[in-house]
Amino acid sequence: MLSKKEHGKIIYWVSRDVDNGAPWLVFLPGLTADHRLFDKQVEHFESKANLLVWDAPSHGESRPFPLTWTLDDKARWLKEILDAEGITAPALVGQSMGGYVAQAFMVLFPGVASGFVSIDSCPLQRSYYARWELASLKHTKLMYLSIPWSLLMKVGSEGCATSEYGQRLMREMMESYTKREYCELAAHGYRALALAVEANRPYEVDCPALLICGTKDAAGSAKRYNREWEKRTGIEVHWVEGAGHNSNTDRPDEVNKLIEAFLFGLQPNPIRNSSATIRPIEGREVPLLEDFLYEAIYIPEGYTEEIPRNIIFNDPLLCTSIEGFGTKPDDRCLVAEISGKVVGACWTRITNEYGHTDDETPSFAISIYKDYRGKGIGTALMAEMLDLLRDEGFARASLSVQKENLPAIHVYEKVGFEIVGDGFDESEWLMICDLVS
């Protein structure tokens, strides 16, 4: 749940129950949009991370607010809010104008952001823009005022989104303004953007970055800028097929997966930071592997039906990973313990199961109870297990993972696994970790 707060005239929402071991995501909506732009992201991440989302000054509930601000002003006010909430190392997620605010933030407060996610935003460096583009950004007010309000809302909502949900949401956000409010806000925002670009500062992204852009983004030259951004910086643009300028509302599931995979890669070294004790499993604890195997079953985004527990016994490739565990000479298992409770397990064996490659390579299984995920425990368990197998002379290890499970894939790659091809079928990847090189 998010709790509503106020900083002067700026309204924002922050996680009510802060988890000190979880990362921070700070959502920055685009020009004329409010906090509702990120409803689908808040819904997805509220159990995985600490969250903050604001109505930027002069937007949504952060009104009345004079139209005198600059991008630097917004960045400074954001920093004041982060300091007030005790938020450190946030990952800044900015859509369109929110991405520009994030870039201004990184210039003013270098080293503070742990990550930057640009959603249909663009670079702020002067060299990307032609003179006529900046000049036109400064003179949009009369053009907007000349358009009938009903037509402006139609163009604004349908021009920003391709999905029914995205268009409806954008229209609802537009309807919260009077026509003059909307036109003056949009015109001021574009002028603030032009002035920030003309400041001709480096605007270097000083942290890991993720660039996301809809293939049907029709806002100005966003697609051209993103292609050039990728070319100059080497940061790959992830193109969201069929999505418009508000790609996070058009394809929320896809964008959420991209952000989650990126966020997992930002976590600090879990071996140094995990609060769990990692140790070998005890004989009396082996029955827990049945529970962990069930917890390890991948549930696709949006799937709501309960997975029957007997699935692990009906699938021979699943049950063989725990059946008679401890009786084979190559069985290995480490557990993570917090305050006397076993909260995760990583086990390997050589048998005909998912991820099996040959009779010399142990296959991995890893599982963490839901309430303890996202804290680096799984990564720490896997790193310890790989060290154990390496010390015992194994040349490599293997595992299989659903291709849709991007967060898990990112964690596996982080500890040294590489995709080598399809797994049991085309829905899975087979991944190998070389323990010799």
Side-chain angles (χ1 to χ4, degrees):
M1 296 292 291
L2 299 188
S3 178
K4 181 178 176 181
K5 295 191 176 183
E6 181 176 341
H7 181 77
K9 291 289 185 179
I10 303 174
I11 304 298
Y12 63 97
W13 291 258
V14 67
S15 292
R16 183 168 296 162
D17 299 315
V18 173
D19 181 348
N20 292 327
W24 275 96
L25 281 174
V26 174
F27 294 108
L28 307 173
L31 184 61
T32 74
D34 58 44
H35 65 281
R36 291 174 289 177
L37 183 77
F38 287 112
D39 278 353
K40 295 293 186 182
Q41 283 65 56
V42 169
E43 179 183 346
H44 178 84
F45 285 104
E46 63 180 350
S47 64
K48 305 171 185 285
N50 300 310
L51 309 179
L52 183 146
V53 58
W54 75 353
D55 278 352
S58 309
H59 294 66
E61 296 187 33
S62 296
R63 293 180 290 167
F65 202 106
L67 292 174
T68 56
W69 44 261
T70 65
L71 294 192
D72 281 5
D73 289 332
K74 284 187 171 183
R76 291 189 182 97
W77 291 326
L78 177 62
K79 182 62 163 59
E80 289 178 11
I81 291 172
L82 298 181
D83 289 346
E85 294 295 334
I87 298 172
T88 58
L92 305 178
V93 183
Q95 190 274 335
S96 193
M97 180 62 75
Y100 301 133
V101 174
Q103 291 175 72
F105 183 97
M106 288 184 282
V107 166
L108 295 176
F109 309 104
V112 173
S114 64
F116 168 49
V117 179
S118 167
I119 302 176
D120 303 293
S121 190
C122 303
L124 270 181
Q125 287 94 334
R126 174 65 182 83
S127 60
Y128 285 87
Y129 297 83
R131 286 185 180 179
W132 68 266
E133 290 176 307
L134 297 177
S136 64
L137 284 173
K138 295 180 186 177
H139 301 91
T140 59
K141 183 176 177 178
L142 292 179
M143 177 192 70
Y144 273 106
L145 286 171
S146 68
I147 303 172
W149 186 219
S150 59
L151 178 59
L152 193 56
M153 283 194 287
K154 176 178 174 63
V155 172
S157 57
E158 295 180 4
C160 283
T162 58
S163 67
E164 180 182 350
Y165 168 76
Q167 292 177 1
R168 183 177 67 253
L169 177 61
M170 192 65 217
R171 186 179 185 89
E172 290 173 356
M173 292 188 290
M174 291 180 69
E175 288 174 341
S176 70
Y177 304 96
T178 65
K179 179 187 177 182
R180 179 163 289 276
E181 274 185 314
Y182 178 85
C183 294
E184 291 181 347
L185 174 57
H188 179 77
Y190 288 133
R191 182 174 178 80
L193 169 59
L195 293 175
V197 172
E198 288 178 340
N200 200 22
R201 293 187 292 189
Y203 291 115
E204 293 180 357
V205 177
D206 67 348
C207 58
L210 170 66
L211 307 182
I212 299 172
C213 190
T215 60
K216 292 188 177 181
D217 189 332
S221 302
K223 290 194 291 185
R224 173 170 63 84
Y225 291 140
N226 272 271
R227 285 192 290 266
E228 188 64 21
W229 207 355
E230 178 182 67
K231 181 179 178 181
R232 295 191 193 184
T233 65
I235 304 172
E236 181 185 1
V237 177
H238 294 265
W239 296 97
V240 182
E241 188 64 37
H245 188 58
N246 298 356
S247 59
N248 61 301
T249 65
D250 284 338
R251 298 288 185 273
D253 290 348
E254 182 174 347
V255 171
N256 290 344
K257 286 180 180 179
L258 288 169
I259 296 173
E260 187 168 346
F262 174 73
L263 187 64
F264 267 72
L266 299 179
Q267 299 311 294
N269 189 323
I271 297 176
R272 292 196 303 268
N273 294 278
S274 172
S275 61
T277 298
I278 297 175
R279 58 170 176 78
I281 195 171
E282 299 177 5
R284 61 183 176 81
E285 296 168 331
V286 168
L288 289 174
L289 294 185
E290 178 184 323
D291 201 28
F292 282 118
L293 182 60
Y294 177 74
E295 290 288 328
I297 296 173
Y298 173 66
I299 301 176
E301 188 77 29
Y303 187 86
T304 57
E305 296 183 21
E306 184 177 357
I307 304 294
R309 193 174 185 86
N310 61 7
I311 190 174
I312 63 178
F313 301 108
N314 294 338
D315 185 339
L317 293 181
L318 272 180
C319 68
T320 192
S321 70
I322 61 170
E323 199 170 50
F325 192 87
T327 62
K328 295 179 178 291
D330 45 59
D331 287 350
R332 304 285 185 275
C333 181
L334 297 175
V335 296
E337 179 182 318
I338 295 179
S339 300
K341 177 182 179 180
V342 175
V343 300
C346 179
W347 64 100
T348 67
R349 68 186 330 193
I350 299 175
T351 186
N352 186 27
E353 60 178 305
Y354 291 106
H356 177 69
T357 56
D358 56 57
D359 292 340
E360 304 295 326
T361 303
S363 303
F364 259 72
I366 175 76
S367 179
I368 309 296
Y369 284 140
K370 185 176 181 180
D371 290 344
Y372 296 87
R373 295 172 189 169
K375 305 178 187 298
I377 297 172
T379 315
L381 273 170
M382 294 189 73
E384 289 281 346
M385 180 61 80
L386 289 171
D387 285 344
L388 175 63
L389 295 176
R390 190 178 289 111
D391 290 344
E392 294 189 0
F394 289 98
R396 60 181 191 164
S398 65
L399 60 79
S400 73
V401 58
Q402 290 289 318
K403 293 180 179 180
E404 292 183 2
N405 195 353
L406 297 179
I409 293 171
H410 201 90
V411 171
Y412 301 153
E413 290 176 332
K414 186 176 180 180
V415 298
F417 282 87
E418 295 181 355
I419 295 172
V420 296
D422 287 340
F424 177 74
D425 57 33
E426 293 182 353
S427 69
E428 297 181 350
W429 289 124
L430 177 65
M431 302 186 75
I432 298 291
C433 181
D434 186 350
L435 300 175
V436 176
S437 61

